[in-house]
Amino acid sequence: MLNKLFIIFFFLSFNIFTCTELNNLNIYSSDVNTLSLGYIQSFKGVNKSNVEGQVFFEKPNLFKIITSNPSKTELIVNDQDVFRTDYELDETIKYKLKNIESQIPAFLLLSSKEKVCGFLKNSENSEFISNIFLTSDNEKLKSISYTDQFGVITKINFFDIKLNDELDKKIFDYNKDTNLIILN
């Protein structure tokens, strides 16, 4: 009996610490160079509207999130710089990627499988997001759920996932018509 418990514990621990849930996800395949998808973000237990938008990613370092509802915003990663544009405020804030990447769960799409695994293992120590759970159909990422820094459970569902479609590089340029604020 003790041996069976040890074997179960060993395999369960091995499964948890090797992030096997990432192994079959096509977004981490070396054959995938671009990704585009739609998403809906919902919040449990709070009176907050769903957030809807699109994500575009071109390896290794171009990333864009467009939020279309409830308000229009963009978040663009261009190498090591991040630009957040809020069209209602008519401003773009520039950050260094290293200073904010732990605050934005969608950056899991931008990371390597190894970095995501490390992030998942250490998420309980994060000040911003914890209890991260990925759902897939053995190949496609279906959703990410997590608890944010305010204790709100958030779920992001993905749909219309397209791999290796050609993306226009101009979509990774921030809107230069807005006021630029630089934070480091």
Side-chain angles (χ1 to χ4, degrees), residues 19 145 166:
C19 298
S145 60
E166 189 161 333

Side-chain angles (χ1 to χ4, degrees), residues 5 8 13 21 42 53 58 62 80 86 89 109-110 115 133 155-156 172 183:
L5 287 175
I8 291 169
S13 299
E21 65 271 19
S42 58
E58 184 170 314
L62 296 173
Q80 296 302 310
D86 186 317
L89 297 176
L109 300 171
L110 181 64
K115 192 170 182 180
F133 185 73
K155 185 172 186 178
I156 305 171
F172 300 108
L183 300 176

Side-chain angles (χ1 to χ4, degrees), residues 33-35 56-63 110 167-169 172:
N33 295 311
T34 65
L35 166 76
F56 301 94
F57 172 50
E58 184 170 314
K59 288 182 181 177
N61 55 8
L62 296 173
F63 188 77
L110 181 64
L167 301 175
D168 183 354
K169 296 268 194 261
F172 300 108

Side-chain angles (χ1 to χ4, degrees), residues 23-88:
N23 287 341
N24 295 327
L25 290 180
N26 54 15
I27 62 173
Y28 298 117
S29 168
S30 60
D31 297 335
V32 173
N33 295 311
T34 65
L35 166 76
S36 63
L37 56 85
Y39 73 91
I40 297 175
Q41 182 175 2
S42 58
F43 309 91
K44 185 176 180 181
V46 293
N47 187 15
K48 191 172 181 179
S49 298
N50 288 351
V51 176
E52 299 175 30
Q54 294 177 287
V55 174
F56 301 94
F57 172 50
E58 184 170 314
K59 288 182 181 177
N61 55 8
L62 296 173
F63 188 77
K64 181 174 187 172
I65 301 173
I66 298 171
T67 302
S68 55
N69 192 24
S71 61
K72 184 169 171 45
T73 64
E74 292 180 348
L75 183 133
I76 297 172
V77 176
N78 193 331
D79 195 28
Q80 296 302 310
D81 293 320
V82 177
F83 300 90
R84 285 188 193 210
T85 300
D86 186 317
Y87 287 95
E88 288 181 21

Side-chain angles (χ1 to χ4, degrees), residues 118-132:
F119 183 81
L120 291 172
K121 289 178 189 177
N122 295 317
S123 69
E124 294 306 315
N125 298 326
S126 171
E127 297 175 31
F128 301 104
I129 57 176
S130 60
N131 302 319
I132 301 170

Side-chain angles (χ1 to χ4, degrees), residues 114-177:
E114 293 76 20
K115 192 170 182 180
V116 171
C117 184
F119 183 81
L120 291 172
K121 289 178 189 177
N122 295 317
S123 69
E124 294 306 315
N125 298 326
S126 171
E127 297 175 31
F128 301 104
I129 57 176
S130 60
N131 302 319
I132 301 170
F133 185 73
L134 305 175
T135 306
S136 70
D137 68 359
N138 281 340
E139 187 176 274
K140 292 181 182 175
L141 182 63
K142 294 293 187 184
S143 69
I144 296 174
S145 60
Y146 61 92
T147 304
D148 71 14
Q149 72 240 33
F150 305 108
V152 175
I153 298 171
T154 301
K155 185 172 186 178
I156 305 171
N157 291 304
F158 303 107
F159 59 90
D160 197 23
I161 299 172
K162 297 177 184 163
L163 305 175
N164 291 327
D165 282 358
E166 189 161 333
L167 301 175
D168 183 354
K169 296 268 194 261
K170 290 180 183 179
I171 67 170
F172 300 108
D173 292 338
Y174 77 93
N175 184 333
K176 294 182 172 86
D177 293 334

